[in-house]
Amino acid sequence: GKTFRVLIEGDSKKSDKDWKGRNSQNKMIIFSKEGQHKPGDYVWVKVVDSTSATLKGEMVEGPGAQVAIGTTFSDTEILEERLV
């Protein structure tokens, strides 16, 4: 599956063990909570499954770690387009 930079919006409707978030194409992605992330954080998520309305994924390490320490949005957006 493809890897996207995802903005965490909050808890998934179906499980408090999962986050829901959106990628730059405004697609909803559901993924397991890992680490110390919170709503408003950006993380990198690899899509592993899909339904008619939702993508399901898993957090992956990668460029998203740099976002928290100062990578500019435009640099990250360019990198995301390369991954897609």
Side-chain angles (χ1 to χ4, degrees):
K2 294 183 179 180
T3 301
F4 296 97
R5 182 172 164 251
V6 175
L7 173 63
I8 299 173
E9 292 185 344
D11 292 338
S12 165
K13 291 180 184 177
K14 294 185 179 182
S15 172
D16 62 357
K17 295 181 181 180
D18 294 330
W19 289 119
K20 67 176 179 180
R22 293 188 185 268
N23 67 10
S24 61
Q25 289 83 30
N26 205 34
K27 300 287 185 189
M28 180 67 67
I29 303 180
I30 305 297
F31 52 97
S32 295
K33 290 182 178 179
E34 297 176 18
Q36 300 295 316
H37 302 288
K38 61 190 180 305
D41 288 349
Y42 282 95
V43 294
W44 289 91
V45 177
K46 180 178 180 178
V47 174
V48 295
D49 196 11
S50 64
T51 67
S52 59
T54 307
L55 299 173
K56 297 180 181 180
E58 56 189 28
M59 270 195 283
V60 294
E61 291 195 27
Q66 296 175 327
V67 173
I69 58 172
T71 298
T72 64
F73 184 78
S74 59
D75 291 344
T76 304
E77 193 169 69
I78 290 167
L79 182 55
E80 180 180 16
E81 289 179 13
R82 289 184 193 152
L83 293 171
V84 172

